[in-house]
Amino acid sequence: MSAESISTIAIIGGGVSGCLVAVQLLREARAPLRILLFERMTDVGRGVAYGTENREHLLNVPAARMSALPDEPGHFLRWAAGRAGEEGYPATVTAADFLPRWIFGEYIRAVLAEARGGAAPGVELEQIKGDVTDLETEAGGVRLRCGDGRSFGADRVVLALGNLPGEYPIKRPLPVYHSQRYVHVPWHPGALAGIPPGADVLIVGAGLTAVDMVLQLQEAGHQGVVHALSRRGLRPQVHEQHAAYPDFFVEEPPPATILKLWRRVRAEVRKAGGSGIDWRPVLDALRPRTPAIWGALSWEERARFMRHVRPFWEAHRHRLAPTVAKKIEIRRAAGKLRFYAGRLDSLIETPDGVEAKFRERGTTRKQILHVAKVINCTGPRSDYSKYQHPLLVNLLARGLIDHDPLALGLNALPDGTVLGYRSGPVGWLFTLGVSLKGVLWECSAVPEIRDQAQRLARRLLV
Ligand SMILES: Cc1cc2nc3c(=O)[nH]c(=O)nc-3n(C[C@H](O)[C@H](O)[C@H](O)COP(=O)(O)OP(=O)(O)OC[C@H]3O[C@@H](n4cnc5c(N)ncnc54)[C@H](O)[C@@H]3O)c2cc1C
């Protein structure tokens, strides 16, 4: 077979999503295939979530549920248990453990290396360190252009772009955003450097990213008060171990409105509670059904969910590992961590820090905090039309992508087929992971990504 006739699939993004599509292609391709995996960072397999070297940053899913392979549910657990006691790994690993996130990055890289080693003859993976900035159709395929001038041909392209940096906490241009006192992306190495140990800090957001930052500050010996401000003052709930609850939507069609869905779920939680069963397994039973339930809602109903239910859903769905929750509670009880519900009105740099003014929720009362640093922990966003990366700007300008009607991600079919601007399938462009939020809602964690990656790879190989 000549080099020209070998099919080439390009994957842009070497986080978990991109790596797992590559893994599935390597495992399943029987005819010669060239896979190009583009990642702009040094390492593949990590992305924002697993790129942290901080050992306090734990997975928020127990080891038993973090397999990268849909057909081998215990794969991660076995892999990690096989390394127990090695440098940096815990002495023992059990199914219920919440392991440090960097370990999962190592795991993804190991899974990729193994798939590469076991691929059929002629099925090859090329890892390319580069920032893809444009895609152009050309005779017989697509040309990918990188920021450094290199270009590569392919037949099909997968966008595995993942988590975008968060929104600004106040959505208007502020001088403080250009100051050393403001951290927009808390994951950047050294983002928390230079905070005096006794100084107060404001974290905007109170979700899992905020919790990571509190732990990171604590580990660095920070003694000041951490103020955590969020709109509703909701905080992530804590994981508990419970037996699985039955799939209670199996016999009934998904509700057509958010109100009906809300009532149905509340009724089930009450029923379970009557038998001494916790709400957690009831919500978890919804998870495999979520794409179908979401798909049955109109865009108006999905918008209603975003307005009224999303904050509660996030706090109950994205839960904390118990050990993490304990550390947070100890710090809160010591008065070193304070939570507030309110809306941030202003952030003004002063000679010795930042003055943050917010209005307490449900009141007209204003509070002012004086802090040394403001850390933006509003969480990653997925509105691809607002993120000014050249690739997205160019794809939008070429009409190759569009955001979904709620701008939660890309406009696409549930199987990852990308839809062009106000048009149908592009044909050669696909996506998975967080970009499918508008279409599937539940799509950005490993248990969902591994299934999407397998389905997409099978589709790409047809
Ligand atoms: C802090 C945090 C903790 C999390 N913890 C968990 C957890 O415990 N369990 C769980 O199941 N899920 C967790 N998640 C969810 C997480 O989103 C997924 O598990 C997974 O990491 C998503 O992977 P991804 O590849 O889709 O995106 P990302 O990890 O964001 O990776 C996308 C990659 O694409 C690259 N890229 C983007 N654009 C380009 C370009 N133009 N050219 C080249 N490269 C490009 C980026 O550099 C990046 O490496 C967490 C998320 C976050 C943010």
Side-chain angles (χ1 to χ4, degrees), residues 27 40 108 112 139 214 234 266 334 366 368 401 421 451:
R27 285 163 69 106
R40 60 186 171 210
I108 292 295
L112 184 64
V214 174
L234 293 171
R266 284 191 60 144
K366 304 264 181 182
I368 295 179
I401 59 169
Y421 182 75
D451 291 345

Side-chain angles (χ1 to χ4, degrees), residues 24-283:
Q24 293 298 338
L25 289 171
L26 289 163
R27 285 163 69 106
E28 302 216 359
R30 292 289 159 262
L33 174 69
R34 201 167 155 239
I35 306 162
L36 307 180
L37 179 61
F38 291 86
E39 171 55 54
R40 60 186 171 210
M41 312 297 279
T42 320
D43 276 357
V44 297
R46 301 195 189 280
V48 167
Y50 313 110
T52 174
E53 285 176 7
N54 190 308
R55 292 174 188 207
E56 298 283 316
H57 293 166
L58 303 184
L59 294 172
N60 53 40
V61 177
R65 300 218 308 263
M66 284 295 283
S67 172
L69 306 172
D71 310 329
E72 296 176 56
H75 192 261
F76 174 58
L77 177 59
R78 279 197 301 282
W79 183 91
R83 276 149 194 81
E86 285 180 16
E87 168 68 24
Y89 287 76
T92 56
V93 174
T94 70
D97 287 347
F98 296 84
L99 297 178
R101 291 209 297 269
W102 69 269
I103 290 182
F104 193 76
E106 292 293 303
Y107 166 68
I108 292 295
R109 293 161 65 78
V111 171
L112 184 64
E114 196 185 321
R116 197 177 198 172
V123 177
E124 281 167 14
L125 170 71
E126 214 175 302
Q127 280 174 230
I128 299 159
K129 183 174 181 312
D131 191 9
V132 181
T133 52
D134 202 2
L135 301 180
E136 266 175 73
T137 46
E138 60 180 16
V142 189
R143 185 134 297 270
L144 292 92
R145 297 199 184 281
C146 288
D148 58 10
R150 286 176 299 163
S151 83
F152 302 81
D155 298 293
R156 269 162 287 171
V157 178
V158 176
L159 299 175
L161 309 176
N163 299 293
L164 308 180
E167 287 278 7
Y168 284 95
I170 299 174
K171 286 182 202 150
R172 37 174 214 272
L174 296 179
V176 74
Y177 294 153
H178 294 276
S179 151
Q180 297 291 331
R181 305 240 176 227
Y182 171 74
V183 176
H184 187 57
V185 182
W187 305 112
H188 278 169
L192 306 190
I195 301 176
D200 289 2
V201 169
L202 170 63
I203 290 182
V204 188
L208 297 180
T209 305
V211 167
D212 276 351
M213 291 309 125
V214 174
L215 297 180
Q216 201 166 320
L217 283 166
Q218 188 150 320
E219 209 199 9
H222 181 252
Q223 300 289 326
V225 177
V226 177
H227 304 275
L229 170 69
S230 64
R231 289 270 173 85
R232 293 171 194 263
L234 293 171
R235 288 150 56 186
Q237 298 282 328
V238 185
H239 274 291
E240 285 178 13
Q241 255 188 297
H242 295 282
Y245 193 76
D247 178 354
F248 54 97
F249 268 114
V250 74
E251 300 283 331
E252 52 191 279
T257 68
I258 280 299
L259 188 61
K260 283 187 183 152
L261 176 62
W262 177 259
R263 287 186 176 146
R264 178 68 187 87
V265 174
R266 284 191 60 144
E268 196 67 31
V269 168
R270 262 198 303 273
K271 185 176 134 202
S275 315
I277 298 172
D278 188 69
W279 57 267
R280 290 171 181 79
V282 181
L283 283 200

